Short mmCIF file of all heavy atoms in Angstrom, two decimals:
data_model
loop_
_atom_site.label_atom_id
_atom_site.label_comp_id
_atom_site.label_asym_id
_atom_site.label_seq_id
_atom_site.Cartn_x
_atom_site.Cartn_y
_atom_site.Cartn_z
N PHE A 254 32.53 -14.44 -4.97
CA PHE A 254 31.90 -15.72 -4.61
C PHE A 254 30.75 -16.06 -5.54
O PHE A 254 30.15 -17.11 -5.46
CB PHE A 254 31.40 -15.67 -3.17
CG PHE A 254 32.50 -15.33 -2.22
CD1 PHE A 254 32.61 -14.06 -1.67
CD2 PHE A 254 33.47 -16.27 -1.90
CE1 PHE A 254 33.65 -13.74 -0.83
CE2 PHE A 254 34.52 -15.96 -1.06
CZ PHE A 254 34.61 -14.68 -0.53
N THR A 255 30.43 -15.13 -6.40
CA THR A 255 29.31 -15.35 -7.31
C THR A 255 29.81 -16.03 -8.57
O THR A 255 30.88 -15.70 -9.08
CB THR A 255 28.70 -13.98 -7.70
OG1 THR A 255 28.49 -13.22 -6.51
CG2 THR A 255 27.39 -14.15 -8.43
N THR A 256 29.07 -17.02 -9.04
CA THR A 256 29.43 -17.60 -10.33
C THR A 256 28.55 -16.97 -11.41
O THR A 256 27.37 -16.74 -11.20
CB THR A 256 29.22 -19.12 -10.34
OG1 THR A 256 27.89 -19.40 -9.94
CG2 THR A 256 30.18 -19.82 -9.40
N ILE A 257 29.19 -16.67 -12.52
CA ILE A 257 28.48 -16.04 -13.63
C ILE A 257 28.66 -16.91 -14.86
O ILE A 257 29.79 -17.25 -15.23
CB ILE A 257 29.06 -14.64 -13.93
CG1 ILE A 257 29.06 -13.78 -12.67
CG2 ILE A 257 28.30 -13.97 -15.06
CD1 ILE A 257 29.75 -12.44 -12.85
N HIS A 258 27.57 -17.31 -15.47
CA HIS A 258 27.64 -18.06 -16.72
C HIS A 258 26.75 -17.40 -17.73
O HIS A 258 25.76 -16.78 -17.36
CB HIS A 258 27.11 -19.50 -16.53
CG HIS A 258 27.93 -20.31 -15.61
ND1 HIS A 258 29.18 -20.75 -15.93
CD2 HIS A 258 27.67 -20.76 -14.36
CE1 HIS A 258 29.65 -21.44 -14.91
NE2 HIS A 258 28.77 -21.45 -13.94
N ARG A 259 27.07 -17.60 -18.98
CA ARG A 259 26.11 -17.22 -20.01
C ARG A 259 24.96 -18.22 -19.92
O ARG A 259 25.19 -19.42 -19.86
CB ARG A 259 26.77 -17.27 -21.39
CG ARG A 259 25.91 -16.62 -22.45
CD ARG A 259 26.57 -16.78 -23.79
NE ARG A 259 27.85 -16.06 -23.83
CZ ARG A 259 28.16 -15.18 -24.76
NH1 ARG A 259 27.29 -14.90 -25.69
NH2 ARG A 259 29.33 -14.60 -24.75
N SER A 260 23.74 -17.73 -19.86
CA SER A 260 22.60 -18.61 -19.63
C SER A 260 22.29 -19.45 -20.84
O SER A 260 22.43 -19.00 -21.98
CB SER A 260 21.39 -17.77 -19.24
OG SER A 260 20.25 -18.57 -19.24
N LYS A 261 21.84 -20.71 -20.60
CA LYS A 261 21.45 -21.57 -21.71
C LYS A 261 20.15 -21.08 -22.32
O LYS A 261 19.96 -21.10 -23.51
CB LYS A 261 21.30 -23.02 -21.24
CG LYS A 261 22.64 -23.66 -20.92
CD LYS A 261 22.46 -25.16 -20.67
CE LYS A 261 23.68 -25.73 -19.97
NZ LYS A 261 23.60 -25.55 -18.50
N THR A 262 19.23 -20.66 -21.44
CA THR A 262 18.00 -20.08 -21.97
C THR A 262 18.26 -18.59 -22.18
O THR A 262 18.64 -17.87 -21.27
CB THR A 262 16.83 -20.21 -20.98
OG1 THR A 262 17.30 -19.81 -19.69
CG2 THR A 262 16.30 -21.62 -20.92
N VAL A 263 18.07 -18.16 -23.40
CA VAL A 263 18.37 -16.76 -23.73
C VAL A 263 17.08 -15.95 -23.69
O VAL A 263 16.06 -16.35 -24.24
CB VAL A 263 19.02 -16.67 -25.12
CG1 VAL A 263 19.18 -15.21 -25.54
CG2 VAL A 263 20.37 -17.38 -25.10
N LEU A 264 17.13 -14.85 -22.96
CA LEU A 264 15.98 -13.95 -22.92
C LEU A 264 16.13 -12.97 -24.09
O LEU A 264 17.08 -12.19 -24.14
CB LEU A 264 15.93 -13.18 -21.60
CG LEU A 264 15.67 -14.01 -20.34
CD1 LEU A 264 16.00 -13.21 -19.11
CD2 LEU A 264 14.23 -14.48 -20.31
N SER A 265 15.22 -13.04 -25.03
CA SER A 265 15.29 -12.15 -26.18
C SER A 265 14.68 -10.80 -25.83
O SER A 265 14.07 -10.65 -24.77
CB SER A 265 14.53 -12.76 -27.35
OG SER A 265 13.16 -12.73 -27.06
N ALA A 266 14.87 -9.85 -26.72
CA ALA A 266 14.29 -8.52 -26.49
C ALA A 266 12.77 -8.62 -26.35
O ALA A 266 12.16 -7.89 -25.57
CB ALA A 266 14.66 -7.59 -27.64
N ASP A 267 12.16 -9.58 -27.09
CA ASP A 267 10.71 -9.75 -26.99
C ASP A 267 10.27 -10.23 -25.61
O ASP A 267 9.24 -9.82 -25.11
CB ASP A 267 10.22 -10.77 -28.04
CG ASP A 267 10.25 -10.20 -29.44
OD1 ASP A 267 10.42 -8.95 -29.53
OD2 ASP A 267 10.12 -10.96 -30.40
N ASP A 268 11.11 -11.13 -25.02
CA ASP A 268 10.74 -11.68 -23.72
C ASP A 268 10.62 -10.60 -22.64
O ASP A 268 9.87 -10.74 -21.69
CB ASP A 268 11.80 -12.71 -23.25
CG ASP A 268 11.81 -13.93 -24.15
OD1 ASP A 268 10.75 -14.23 -24.72
OD2 ASP A 268 12.88 -14.57 -24.26
N ILE A 269 11.42 -9.57 -22.79
CA ILE A 269 11.45 -8.57 -21.73
C ILE A 269 10.78 -7.26 -22.16
O ILE A 269 10.79 -6.28 -21.43
CB ILE A 269 12.90 -8.28 -21.28
CG1 ILE A 269 13.75 -7.83 -22.47
CG2 ILE A 269 13.52 -9.48 -20.62
CD1 ILE A 269 15.09 -7.28 -22.04
N GLU A 270 10.13 -7.31 -23.32
CA GLU A 270 9.55 -6.09 -23.86
C GLU A 270 8.56 -5.44 -22.89
O GLU A 270 8.58 -4.24 -22.66
CB GLU A 270 8.84 -6.42 -25.18
CG GLU A 270 8.43 -5.19 -25.95
CD GLU A 270 7.57 -5.53 -27.15
OE1 GLU A 270 7.45 -6.72 -27.48
OE2 GLU A 270 7.00 -4.60 -27.72
N GLU A 271 7.71 -6.29 -22.29
CA GLU A 271 6.70 -5.75 -21.38
C GLU A 271 7.31 -5.09 -20.16
O GLU A 271 6.72 -4.19 -19.58
CB GLU A 271 5.77 -6.87 -20.91
CG GLU A 271 4.60 -7.07 -21.83
CD GLU A 271 3.71 -8.20 -21.37
OE1 GLU A 271 3.54 -8.36 -20.14
OE2 GLU A 271 3.18 -8.91 -22.24
N VAL A 272 8.48 -5.60 -19.78
CA VAL A 272 9.13 -5.03 -18.60
C VAL A 272 9.82 -3.71 -18.96
O VAL A 272 9.83 -2.76 -18.19
CB VAL A 272 10.13 -6.04 -18.01
CG1 VAL A 272 10.98 -5.43 -16.94
CG2 VAL A 272 9.38 -7.25 -17.49
N LEU A 273 10.38 -3.66 -20.17
CA LEU A 273 11.08 -2.44 -20.58
C LEU A 273 10.10 -1.33 -20.90
O LEU A 273 10.37 -0.15 -20.67
CB LEU A 273 11.95 -2.72 -21.80
CG LEU A 273 13.13 -3.65 -21.57
CD1 LEU A 273 14.02 -3.67 -22.79
CD2 LEU A 273 13.93 -3.24 -20.34
N ASP A 274 8.95 -1.73 -21.45
CA ASP A 274 7.95 -0.73 -21.79
C ASP A 274 6.69 -1.10 -21.03
O ASP A 274 5.73 -1.62 -21.59
CB ASP A 274 7.71 -0.75 -23.31
CG ASP A 274 6.82 0.40 -23.71
OD1 ASP A 274 6.64 1.32 -22.90
OD2 ASP A 274 6.26 0.34 -24.81
N PRO A 275 6.71 -0.89 -19.71
CA PRO A 275 5.72 -1.54 -18.87
C PRO A 275 4.32 -0.96 -19.01
O PRO A 275 4.14 0.22 -19.31
CB PRO A 275 6.25 -1.30 -17.44
CG PRO A 275 7.14 -0.13 -17.55
CD PRO A 275 7.65 -0.06 -18.95
N ALA A 276 3.32 -1.83 -18.83
CA ALA A 276 1.93 -1.39 -18.74
C ALA A 276 1.66 -1.06 -17.27
O ALA A 276 2.38 -1.53 -16.39
CB ALA A 276 1.02 -2.52 -19.20
N PRO A 277 0.65 -0.24 -17.00
CA PRO A 277 0.37 0.08 -15.60
C PRO A 277 0.05 -1.18 -14.79
O PRO A 277 -0.62 -2.07 -15.29
CB PRO A 277 -0.88 0.98 -15.69
CG PRO A 277 -0.89 1.50 -17.07
CD PRO A 277 -0.24 0.46 -17.92
N VAL A 278 0.56 -1.26 -13.59
CA VAL A 278 0.24 -2.39 -12.71
C VAL A 278 -0.68 -1.91 -11.60
O VAL A 278 -0.63 -0.75 -11.20
CB VAL A 278 1.49 -3.03 -12.08
CG1 VAL A 278 2.28 -3.77 -13.12
CG2 VAL A 278 2.36 -2.00 -11.37
N LYS A 279 -1.50 -2.83 -11.11
CA LYS A 279 -2.33 -2.50 -9.96
C LYS A 279 -1.45 -2.36 -8.73
O LYS A 279 -0.48 -3.11 -8.56
CB LYS A 279 -3.34 -3.62 -9.73
CG LYS A 279 -4.53 -3.54 -10.63
CD LYS A 279 -5.57 -4.50 -10.10
CE LYS A 279 -6.85 -4.33 -10.86
NZ LYS A 279 -7.85 -5.27 -10.35
N LEU A 280 -1.83 -1.43 -7.86
CA LEU A 280 -0.96 -1.16 -6.72
C LEU A 280 -0.82 -2.37 -5.80
O LEU A 280 0.24 -2.58 -5.22
CB LEU A 280 -1.49 0.05 -5.94
CG LEU A 280 -1.35 1.38 -6.69
CD1 LEU A 280 -1.89 2.52 -5.86
CD2 LEU A 280 0.11 1.64 -7.02
N ASN A 281 -1.86 -3.20 -5.67
CA ASN A 281 -1.71 -4.33 -4.75
C ASN A 281 -0.67 -5.34 -5.24
O ASN A 281 -0.21 -6.16 -4.47
CB ASN A 281 -3.06 -5.00 -4.46
CG ASN A 281 -3.57 -5.78 -5.64
OD1 ASN A 281 -3.50 -5.32 -6.77
ND2 ASN A 281 -4.05 -6.98 -5.40
N CYS A 282 -0.30 -5.26 -6.53
CA CYS A 282 0.71 -6.19 -7.05
C CYS A 282 2.12 -5.78 -6.64
O CYS A 282 3.04 -6.59 -6.69
CB CYS A 282 0.66 -6.26 -8.57
SG CYS A 282 -0.91 -6.81 -9.19
N ILE A 283 2.35 -4.52 -6.32
CA ILE A 283 3.72 -4.12 -6.04
C ILE A 283 3.96 -3.65 -4.60
O ILE A 283 5.08 -3.68 -4.13
CB ILE A 283 4.23 -3.01 -7.00
CG1 ILE A 283 3.32 -1.79 -6.95
CG2 ILE A 283 4.36 -3.54 -8.40
CD1 ILE A 283 3.97 -0.57 -7.58
N ILE A 284 2.88 -3.26 -3.87
CA ILE A 284 3.18 -2.64 -2.58
C ILE A 284 3.65 -3.65 -1.54
O ILE A 284 4.12 -3.25 -0.48
CB ILE A 284 1.99 -1.82 -2.02
CG1 ILE A 284 0.74 -2.67 -1.95
CG2 ILE A 284 1.75 -0.57 -2.84
CD1 ILE A 284 -0.43 -1.92 -1.35
N ASN A 285 3.56 -4.94 -1.83
CA ASN A 285 4.12 -5.90 -0.87
C ASN A 285 5.57 -6.26 -1.18
O ASN A 285 6.20 -6.99 -0.45
CB ASN A 285 3.26 -7.16 -0.83
CG ASN A 285 1.89 -6.86 -0.27
OD1 ASN A 285 1.76 -6.07 0.66
ND2 ASN A 285 0.87 -7.45 -0.84
N ARG A 286 6.08 -5.72 -2.31
CA ARG A 286 7.49 -5.99 -2.63
C ARG A 286 8.41 -5.12 -1.79
O ARG A 286 7.98 -4.13 -1.21
CB ARG A 286 7.76 -5.67 -4.10
CG ARG A 286 7.09 -6.61 -5.07
CD ARG A 286 7.75 -6.45 -6.42
NE ARG A 286 6.86 -6.77 -7.52
CZ ARG A 286 7.06 -6.34 -8.77
NH1 ARG A 286 8.09 -5.55 -9.05
NH2 ARG A 286 6.24 -6.69 -9.72
#
Side-chain angles (χ1 to χ4, degrees):
Chain A
F254 303 103
T255 311
T256 54
I257 305 174
H258 296 289
R259 191 183 296 233
S260 170
K261 288 189 197 85
T262 47
V263 173
L264 294 166
S265 69
D267 287 348
D268 294 332
I269 57 169
E270 191 188 350
E271 271 179 36
V272 171
L273 293 189
D274 188 15
V278 289
K279 279 193 173 179
L280 291 180
N281 72 317
C282 300
I283 57 165
I284 55 177
N285 293 322
R286 291 197 207 159

